[in-house]
Amino acid sequence: MRTVSVLGATGSVGDSTFKVLEELPDTHRVVSMVAHSNDARMVELARRFRPELVGLVDRAAAGRAREALAPSGIEVIEGDDVAVEALRATSPDLVLAAITGAAGLASSLETVTRGASLLLANKEALVMAGNLITRAAAASGAAIVPVDSEHSAIFQAIHGEDARAVRRIFLTASGGPFVDREAGSFADVRPEDALRHPTWEMGRKITIDSATMMNKALEIVEARWLFDVPAEAIEVLVHRQSIVHSMVEFVDGSILAQLGTPSMTVPVRHALGYPERVETSSSYFDIEQFSALSFEPPDAVRFPALDLGHAVARTLGLSGTALNAANEVAVAAFLDGATRFDRISETAARVLDALEDVADPDLEQILAADAWAREEATRCLSR
Amino acid sequence: MRTVSVLGATGSVGDSTFKVLEELPDTHRVVSMVAHSNDARMVELARRFRPELVGLVDRAAAGRAREALAPSGIEVIEGDDVAVEALRATSPDLVLAAITGAAGLASSLETVTRGASLLLANKEALVMAGNLITRAAAASGAAIVPVDSEHSAIFQAIHGEDARAVRRIFLTASGGPFVDREAGSFADVRPEDALRHPTWEMGRKITIDSATMMNKALEIVEARWLFDVPAEAIEVLVHRQSIVHSMVEFVDGSILAQLGTPSMTVPVRHALGYPERVETSSSYFDIEQFSALSFEPPDAVRFPALDLGHAVARTLGLSGTALNAANEVAVAAFLDGATRFDRISETAARVLDALEDVADPDLEQILAADAWAREEATRCLSR
């Protein structure tokens, strides 16, 4: 029996995770689950999965959950550090890390430092602190298994191969809602346009990242760390159908791809089962959806975020932190109606330009850069 | 340095093999090469690759080669058993088995019995004697690495995975020249129509097999033996572009595919390098060719061979031998203008119906069934 902690339990990745965990009552036991403030959903999950401990960042929500769960004997903790505390209190074998944004960094680092397997749905952890996380994982022997569909695909394609045999990674991108939008018209994009994603259903922040293709920029950086390949070896391909989740070209010219109809449960199930494959009755081959697949190069003019991703994957240092923080601030401003769509990537570029970088930063420097980049982005946006 | 014997050196697979071997002067050394009767090409190859021994089935051709190669000190042997004799005389580590048809059986069996790696481009060996070859390989520890593009794709997708994790194999098929031909019009196909293949350049026999989809029928049987999966787990998908060379669905719902622009050098290079990947400057990713890919179910009415393939993969015994022999006879008759296109599969079906099958046959029974099926097919065709 493998013990599991689910961090970010009430979000969309959490939903997929619990769907898969319901298939695995004999092999996986949930020992802790953490979320921000959705106590109603958390109580429902806790009653179903009976963890030892539940954590909620929001203290009022935690109070309500504590009351509701009192008869069950499930402990409820609260406050900003619930994720790390939950890991320390319940020592899981596997940590499904799905807290979005910079908030997921500390618990991801704690996971690999403890030697638990990090099933990583939070890109920011690697984008910001890839140096610290990969080093801590190497030291403890912790596995890092990606949970987003692209990196899971790459991970599966590389599995069983020598890492030096990789020549190129083709990171596929749906292209988002604006892949065919006239290049000069991105200033006019409204939030409601950008929130309509053609193939994947996701949270609001990540849907905007998909529309700017900033998600691919962050994924380039993530791939740089996960697979230890140079920035130049990572190419983005627009693949509108989201069926081929990514591809790897080996030095002998062979290409391996992982594919299937889009569902978050596939990478989640892969990560929870790894290194085994856990059986499911679901199939993700649907001949209708496979009937016409296409690949095309992305347009760097429409999507300036992509060049930023490559630049960061080359530079590393604090640039990932700056890119991510500036993007978070700019996306929030865009969703609030406070800035234009095209200024999201522009703001990120300006913040990167203003960054005083440090090679191989420590956590303190990363968090300081994160705070600085947020202020700098706010300044840029207010001009 | 790994020593290599190339059986079927002067055919199209041989061409690809020597193209790849030219890239590998530091790791692979050719010790023997065998062909049927093309002494001119054989002499050219022998001068370039300097094997210890050359074999030609045709005695007149061998005589000419012996004379031409006399100054080089390369031994030339002749007669029906040159392939097996070459293996015994030169003890290669790797055997590239590309002798087409039933003629390649004895040397494939000799290869795995000796414990050498069988790089298998000859389907008939497994179709006829899959039981003997897989058993001998298991006993000696010999690897069997497929060299045709479909099985190489499946092999690469399964590599590093637990064989029990395979749920389905999707064997892709270009569909050949007649995928859209009106179902009722197959009686009118002329040899010159059938010899025009849309994507692959191959020999005449295999091009006709592609037009009838009998090649997929034989590949279903081959996959049954290579990957130890039941017949029901092997599905054929028409994929007109020949870019995705096959796919594997795992029990957790993930699908892995191997892909790239069609080239025989890719599976040859993979097999020669296995378990390593050998570096090449060639790339088989071409965005133009990847721009539109499609998959569709095959039509059992147009291509009755497919049902025969599944039936044989279920039955095993002598049925693979009968299917292959009947097909060889019928294809030869078709190319001679002696029978109709639609009678190729029909003849194979009749011979299978008339077969008195034996479970787990020995080599003598297989060769007897081969002879019987050829006579039976000839009888059917003369009616």
Side-chain angles (χ1 to χ4, degrees):
Chain A
M1 189 70 100
R2 301 164 88 186
T3 55
V4 187
S5 181
V6 184
L7 310 181
T10 60
S12 68
V13 177
D15 289 348
S16 298
T17 301
F18 288 109
K19 212 177 283 175
V20 174
L21 284 168
E22 273 188 334
E23 302 172 0
L24 305 172
D26 301 331
T27 54
H28 291 65
R29 185 163 60 86
V30 180
V31 290
S32 49
M33 39 178 76
V34 164
H36 187 266
S37 52
N38 187 344
D39 58 291
R41 173 70 176 148
M42 187 58 113
V43 166
E44 187 192 328
L45 287 169
R47 286 186 176 142
R48 192 142 20 123
F49 289 92
R50 320 291 303 176
E52 297 161 19
L53 181 146
V54 150
L56 283 155
V57 173
D58 186 272
R59 293 185 190 275
R64 291 190 297 272
R66 194 174 293 118
E67 200 173 323
L69 292 173
S72 70
I74 297 169
E75 189 184 351
V76 178
I77 61 172
E78 63 188 54
D80 287 341
D81 300 326
V82 282
V84 169
E85 284 171 28
L87 298 181
R88 291 188 181 153
T90 60
S91 293
D93 301 320
L94 310 176
V95 177
L96 197 302
I99 296 172
T100 51
L105 178 53
S107 50
S108 293
L109 201 47
E110 174 72 16
T111 299
V112 290
T113 304
R114 303 177 63 83
S117 293
L118 178 63
L119 317 185
L120 190 63
N122 165 297
K123 319 188 193 306
E124 292 81 0
L126 285 176
V127 168
M128 295 174 68
N131 60 333
L132 304 181
I133 287 181
T134 54
R135 198 179 297 141
S140 70
I144 305 177
V145 188
V147 172
D148 59 326
S149 65
E150 292 83 355
H151 298 85
S152 178
I154 298 161
F155 188 96
Q156 292 182 54
I158 293 179
H159 179 63
E161 304 279 348
D162 187 328
R164 290 165 303 178
V166 174
R167 180 155 67 191
R168 277 190 292 181
I169 285 174
F170 296 109
L171 205 53
T172 55
S174 70
F178 304 140
V179 64
D180 295 320
R181 192 181 174 102
E182 211 186 310
S185 75
F186 279 69
D188 310 328
V189 170
R190 295 162 307 167
E192 55 270 37
D193 304 330
L195 287 169
R196 238 181 278 122
H197 189 276
T199 45
W200 290 96
E201 263 196 54
M202 305 171 296
R204 283 159 63 87
K205 154 74 166 56
I206 195 168
T207 302
I208 302 300
D209 286 350
S210 171
T212 56
M213 290 190 79
M214 187 64 85
N215 65 332
K216 287 306 133 181
L218 299 173
E219 286 173 13
I220 291 168
V221 183
E222 197 185 354
R224 159 66 190 79
W225 286 114
L226 276 172
F227 307 113
D228 197 19
V229 288
E232 306 76 59
I234 306 168
E235 293 186 22
V236 173
L237 283 180
V238 172
H239 169 57
R240 293 162 188 252
Q241 302 81 22
S242 298
I243 296 292
V244 174
H245 300 313
S246 278
M247 309 195 272
V248 175
E249 182 186 50
F250 295 95
V251 292
D252 65 355
S254 255
I255 298 168
L256 285 179
Q258 189 266 332
L259 61 171
T261 56
S263 167
M264 267 308 290
T265 57
V266 174
V268 167
R269 190 180 293 110
H270 170 264
L272 284 169
Y274 181 80
E276 316 245 296
R277 287 193 180 269
V278 294
E279 195 152 357
T280 175
S281 54
S282 312
S283 175
Y284 301 91
F285 177 79
D286 172 355
I287 188 86
E288 292 295 314
Q289 291 203 264
F290 280 65
S291 65
L293 306 180
S294 64
F295 298 89
E296 54 199 297
D299 180 353
V301 176
R302 284 189 179 88
F303 303 107
L306 293 176
D307 281 347
L308 301 181
H310 274 112
V312 168
R314 267 191 300 274
T315 317
L316 303 177
L318 292 166
S319 64
T321 300
L323 177 67
N324 175 62
N327 181 57
E328 282 192 20
V329 169
V331 169
F334 171 69
L335 285 171
D336 285 349
T339 197
R340 290 196 331 241
F341 184 81
D342 60 326
R343 296 208 58 196
I344 298 172
S345 294
E346 193 190 303
T347 303
R350 285 191 184 184
V351 171
L352 279 177
D353 277 346
L355 173 70
E356 289 184 35
D357 209 349
V358 171
D360 197 19
D362 61 25
L363 188 58
E364 208 179 330
Q365 291 172 309
I366 291 168
L367 295 175
D370 182 65
W372 168 85
R374 285 169 200 276
E375 284 166 26
E376 184 67 20
T378 308
R379 265 193 301 278
C380 287
L381 288 164
S382 68
R383 276 200 290 264
Chain B
M1 190 68 103
R2 301 164 88 187
T3 55
V4 186
S5 180
V6 184
L7 310 181
T10 60
S12 67
V13 177
D15 288 348
S16 298
T17 301
F18 289 109
K19 213 177 282 175
V20 174
L21 283 168
E22 273 188 335
E23 301 172 0
L24 304 172
D26 300 330
T27 54
H28 291 66
R29 184 164 60 86
V30 180
V31 290
S32 49
M33 40 177 75
V34 164
H36 187 266
S37 53
N38 187 343
D39 58 292
R41 173 71 176 148
M42 188 58 114
V43 166
E44 187 192 328
L45 287 169
R47 286 184 176 144
R48 191 140 25 120
F49 289 91
R50 320 291 304 175
E52 297 160 18
L53 181 146
V54 151
L56 283 154
V57 173
D58 185 274
R59 293 184 190 276
R64 291 190 296 272
R66 194 173 293 118
E67 200 172 324
L69 292 173
S72 70
I74 296 169
E75 189 185 349
V76 179
I77 61 172
E78 62 188 55
D80 287 342
D81 300 325
V82 282
V84 169
E85 283 172 28
L87 299 181
R88 291 189 180 154
T90 59
S91 294
D93 301 320
L94 310 177
V95 177
L96 197 304
I99 296 172
T100 50
L105 178 53
S107 50
S108 293
L109 200 49
E110 174 73 15
T111 300
V112 289
T113 303
R114 303 177 64 82
S117 293
L118 178 63
L119 317 185
L120 190 62
N122 165 297
K123 317 188 193 310
E124 293 81 0
L126 285 177
V127 169
M128 294 174 69
N131 60 333
L132 305 180
I133 287 180
T134 54
R135 198 179 299 141
S140 70
I144 305 177
V145 188
V147 172
D148 59 327
S149 65
E150 293 84 354
H151 298 85
S152 178
I154 298 162
F155 188 95
Q156 292 182 55
I158 293 179
H159 180 61
E161 303 280 348
D162 186 328
R164 290 164 304 178
V166 174
R167 181 155 67 191
R168 278 192 291 183
I169 284 174
F170 296 110
L171 204 55
T172 54
S174 71
F178 304 139
V179 65
D180 295 320
R181 192 181 175 104
E182 212 187 310
S185 75
F186 279 69
D188 311 327
V189 170
R190 294 163 308 168
E192 55 270 37
D193 304 329
L195 287 170
R196 239 180 277 123
H197 189 275
T199 45
W200 289 97
E201 262 196 56
M202 303 171 295
R204 283 159 63 89
K205 155 72 167 55
I206 197 169
T207 302
I208 301 300
D209 286 349
S210 171
T212 56
M213 290 189 78
M214 187 64 85
N215 65 331
K216 288 304 135 181
L218 299 173
E219 286 173 12
I220 291 169
V221 183
E222 198 185 354
R224 159 67 189 79
W225 286 114
L226 276 172
F227 307 113
D228 197 17
V229 288
E232 305 76 59
I234 307 167
E235 292 186 23
V236 173
L237 284 180
V238 172
H239 169 57
R240 294 161 188 252
Q241 301 81 22
S242 298
I243 296 292
V244 174
H245 300 312
S246 278
M247 309 195 271
V248 174
E249 182 186 49
F250 294 95
V251 293
D252 65 355
S254 254
I255 298 168
L256 286 179
Q258 189 265 334
L259 61 171
T261 56
S263 167
M264 266 309 290
T265 57
V266 174
V268 167
R269 191 181 293 108
H270 170 264
L272 284 168
Y274 182 80
E276 317 243 296
R277 288 193 180 268
V278 295
E279 195 151 357
T280 175
S281 55
S282 311
S283 175
Y284 301 92
F285 177 78
D286 172 354
I287 187 87
E288 293 294 314
Q289 292 203 262
F290 279 64
S291 65
L293 306 180
S294 65
F295 298 89
E296 53 199 297
D299 180 352
V301 177
R302 283 189 180 87
F303 303 107
L306 293 176
D307 281 347
L308 301 181
H310 274 112
V312 168
R314 267 191 301 274
T315 317
L316 303 177
L318 292 166
S319 64
T321 300
L323 177 68
N324 176 63
N327 180 58
E328 282 192 21
V329 169
V331 169
F334 171 69
L335 286 171
D336 286 348
T339 197
R340 291 197 329 242
F341 184 81
D342 60 326
R343 295 208 60 195
I344 298 172
S345 294
E346 192 190 302
T347 302
R350 286 194 183 182
V351 171
L352 279 177
D353 276 345
L355 174 71
E356 289 184 37
D357 208 351
V358 170
D360 197 20
D362 61 24
L363 188 58
E364 206 178 332
Q365 291 171 309
I366 291 168
L367 295 175
D370 183 65
W372 168 84
R374 285 169 201 276
E375 283 167 27
E376 183 67 20
T378 308
R379 263 194 302 278
C380 286
L381 288 163
S382 68
R383 277 200 292 264

